[in-house]
Amino acid sequence: MAQAGAQALTTHYRSLQKSWKVSHSEAYRRLVVPNGNSSQPFHRWFHLKEAYSSQLLPQLISDSGHTPQQSLRVRDPYSGSGTTLLSALEVGSEQDLSVDVHGTERNPFIWELAHSKVAGRIAGREAAKDFEVSLDAVEELYRSSKRPFEPVPEQATLRNERYFARDNVEKLCSIRRAIDMCAEGLSRSLLRVSLAAAVEGCGRLRRDGRALRFTPGRQPKDAWTAFSERAAIVLQDLEVTEPLDASGNVRLGDGRLRSETTSDFDWIVFSPPYPNNIDYTEVYKTEAWVLGCYETAEEMRTQRQLTVRSHPSIRFERDYSYLATEKSDAVSRIIEPVISAVPVGKYHSGRVEVIRGYADDMFLTLQSCRREIAPNGHLAFIVGNSAHASGDSAFIIAADVVMGALAELAGWRVTEVRVARELIRRNADSEFLRESVVMLEPA
């Protein structure tokens, strides 16, 4: 952006955070990314690039000075792959606590991933035998002359033979059909997650941040081989895990709304989609289509419309709930300087909609969480700020500051902004280009 506009936006962000403690935490640099998860039981079942470390929650609890005594109740309204919930179960196991975890996830595939991991961790080896029996039944049916035939989904990516060989997609879909015929309950979910984890390796696409990238040099794995390898990992983790005396669930639903549970959570920890133009429904579409989460392109579009308004890839409803509340003017004072920094041009309307929509969604989330927190509870959200446009027109959406200011309107007190790492973006430089862990307590 022009120098005057850049300075005005920086001044606005500084004003919003002037009363907060802002620290730079080297300890959190390795915790806001999935560092170590690939070698951890249950966490390793599927690599979700956007996850954070399984050690983040224990670090948050330790730094808070609050040591759970007998019980621990934890909520994550944007559960993703279930990292927060699994970490809470581990804390309870290590400290002999009664644990109750609740999550919400909107993406149907990622919801099943989180659900199966949480249920699998609670059941432990008690789920291993049924899983193994179901896996054997799936293999028997798959290898028989009566192999169930499932047509290739009506989805362009899976039908593009540069990306996926048709035979391999047919095999993946036949495995899914066999699972649906041979398994039920937790075993069915565990097998479906094993199948989803095999999809990327069966083609020539890889997830690269915001998109699926074509890798022509990759040699795809056979579908059954890839699936059985992933299922073996799941079985191994179940067999060596003691069952937990704990409760938990992950609901397929909207994280912006209150959970369908009692209140008084000790901790609410979440990382919402960042306002960075990434459509996660698109990024994880191949797994969702193979699992049969969508039957038509319209069903997938409906799913995209239900997600957080963090990107302009589609046109969302211009329905902003904060405008009908007594906080309308206060919310506008937070976001209007950001909107004023958006350069005029063909992307102007979409960017403005992202800013308004994202603020509205996060305000709803923070209001819902405020009604669910225990009087002495804690909330931590992890979010990265984002650079948009370029050159003199570049501007930063400082989501950590905007959300912190919205949190104050929703009845929270910002106790600390822990800057975990500075972000490097081409043609963008700002003190607010960062990823942070923001700590809140009830005001």
Side-chain angles (χ1 to χ4, degrees):
M1 75 185 79
Q3 187 62 35
Q7 186 56 49
L9 190 53
T10 297
T11 299
H12 176 60
Y13 289 145
R14 287 174 177 170
S15 175
L16 291 176
Q17 71 169 25
K18 65 181 179 181
S19 63
W20 307 341
K21 177 183 178 182
V22 179
S23 63
H24 287 74
S25 176
E26 187 65 30
Y28 283 87
R29 173 182 291 273
R30 292 172 55 82
L31 300 178
V32 296
V33 293
N35 184 55
N37 290 10
S38 61
S39 62
Q40 293 295 315
F42 298 91
H43 294 281
R44 65 180 179 155
W45 290 359
F46 185 91
H47 177 64
L48 199 78
K49 184 177 182 295
E50 298 75 26
Y52 42 78
S53 172
S54 62
Q55 297 306 304
L56 177 61
L57 180 64
Q59 185 73 50
L60 290 171
I61 293 174
S62 175
D63 289 348
S64 73
H66 167 70
T67 302
Q69 297 301 313
Q70 294 180 314
S71 64
L72 178 65
R73 302 193 73 236
V74 176
R75 168 149 169 73
D76 185 344
Y78 297 98
S79 294
S81 60
T83 302
T84 296
L85 309 180
L86 281 176
S87 297
L89 292 172
E90 291 301 331
V91 169
S93 176
E94 293 168 1
Q95 300 184 21
D96 196 24
L97 302 172
S98 171
V99 180
D100 185 25
V101 298
H102 294 268
T104 307
E105 176 54 45
R106 177 72 271 174
N107 184 292
F109 152 59
I110 298 176
W111 161 78
E112 188 154 29
L113 173 63
H115 159 73
S116 66
K117 288 163 72 174
V118 168
R121 178 61 189 90
I122 292 173
R125 62 167 54 97
E126 290 182 353
K129 185 60 178 178
D130 283 347
F131 177 78
E132 189 172 20
V133 169
S134 295
L135 176 59
D136 288 344
V138 168
E139 180 171 14
E140 182 178 358
L141 179 58
Y142 176 80
R143 296 191 182 282
S144 75
S145 59
K146 297 180 181 180
R147 174 195 292 185
F149 175 75
E150 191 75 7
V152 173
E154 295 289 337
Q155 201 272 331
T157 302
L158 289 173
R159 285 177 170 260
N160 187 327
E161 295 206 33
R162 291 197 308 155
Y163 303 156
F164 289 92
R166 184 178 184 85
D167 178 64
N168 234 12
V169 179
E170 289 176 347
K171 289 178 178 179
L172 288 168
C173 294
S174 293
I175 294 170
R176 191 252 294 178
R177 180 63 175 155
I179 291 170
D180 291 344
M181 294 172 67
C182 296
E184 58 185 18
L186 177 56
S187 292
R188 178 178 180 272
S189 286
L190 293 169
L191 288 165
R192 284 167 58 84
V193 165
S194 302
L195 177 61
V199 171
E200 184 175 354
C202 291
R204 293 191 173 91
L205 294 178
R206 64 178 177 84
R207 282 181 294 276
D208 182 19
R210 65 181 62 241
L212 296 172
R213 307 290 184 188
F214 180 43
T215 55
R218 175 192 284 176
Q219 182 60 46
K221 288 186 176 182
D222 168 73
W224 180 263
T225 301
F227 164 69
S228 60
E229 288 175 352
R230 303 311 302 181
I233 291 172
V234 171
L235 180 58
Q236 182 182 56
D237 289 349
L238 293 174
E239 288 179 328
V240 299
T241 301
E242 288 289 339
L244 292 176
D245 182 16
S247 60
N249 70 77
V250 184
R251 181 172 62 95
L252 178 62
D254 194 334
R256 293 165 287 197
L257 307 178
R258 289 191 68 176
S259 62
E260 298 174 355
T261 66
T262 56
S263 301
D264 295 335
F265 288 103
D266 302 300
W267 280 89
I268 299 176
V269 180
F270 67 91
S271 182
Y274 301 174
N276 54 9
N277 296 337
I278 300 177
D279 180 354
Y280 294 108
T281 306
E282 180 74 13
V283 172
Y284 294 98
K285 65 183 179 182
T286 54
E287 289 83 4
W289 278 93
V290 167
L291 292 186
C293 298
Y294 316 126
E295 295 292 338
T296 66
E298 185 57 35
E299 287 185 10
M300 179 173 164
R301 179 174 178 80
T302 298
Q303 162 63 25
R304 296 173 77 189
Q305 291 282 357
L306 293 171
T307 59
V308 167
R309 290 169 282 184
S310 63
H311 59 86
S313 302
I314 58 172
R315 303 307 295 267
F316 290 95
E317 293 292 331
R318 300 182 186 183
D319 180 18
Y320 309 114
S321 61
Y322 74 85
L323 293 174
T325 72
E326 62 181 12
K327 304 289 187 180
S328 175
D329 289 344
V331 173
S332 294
R333 285 193 291 272
I334 293 169
I335 64 175
E336 287 303 326
V338 188
I339 291 172
S340 296
V342 178
V344 175
K346 67 177 182 178
Y347 301 116
H348 180 272
S349 177
R351 286 167 172 160
V352 170
E353 287 183 23
V354 166
I355 294 166
R356 290 195 193 282
Y358 192 78
D360 194 46
D361 289 344
M362 293 302 101
F363 191 40
L364 282 171
T365 301
L366 291 160
Q367 287 176 309
S368 296
C369 290
R370 180 62 184 85
R371 291 190 286 267
E372 297 182 320
I373 198 71
N376 61 344
H378 304 264
L379 185 149
F381 65 81
I382 302 91
V383 70
N385 301 342
S386 52
H388 300 264
S390 60
D392 289 342
S393 298
F395 69 99
I396 305 296
I397 299 179
D400 58 353
V401 178
V402 170
M403 287 180 64
L406 293 172
E408 292 181 326
L409 297 181
W412 296 95
R413 179 173 66 88
V414 178
T415 59
E416 188 174 359
V417 177
R418 297 170 182 163
V419 179
R421 56 178 183 156
E422 309 293 339
L423 302 177
I424 300 174
R425 298 292 182 267
R426 186 173 57 187
N427 299 325
D429 183 25
S430 168
E431 67 188 79
F432 290 100
L433 197 52
R434 66 197 188 190
E435 189 170 18
S436 305
V437 179
V438 181
M439 305 300 303
L440 307 177
E441 293 179 356

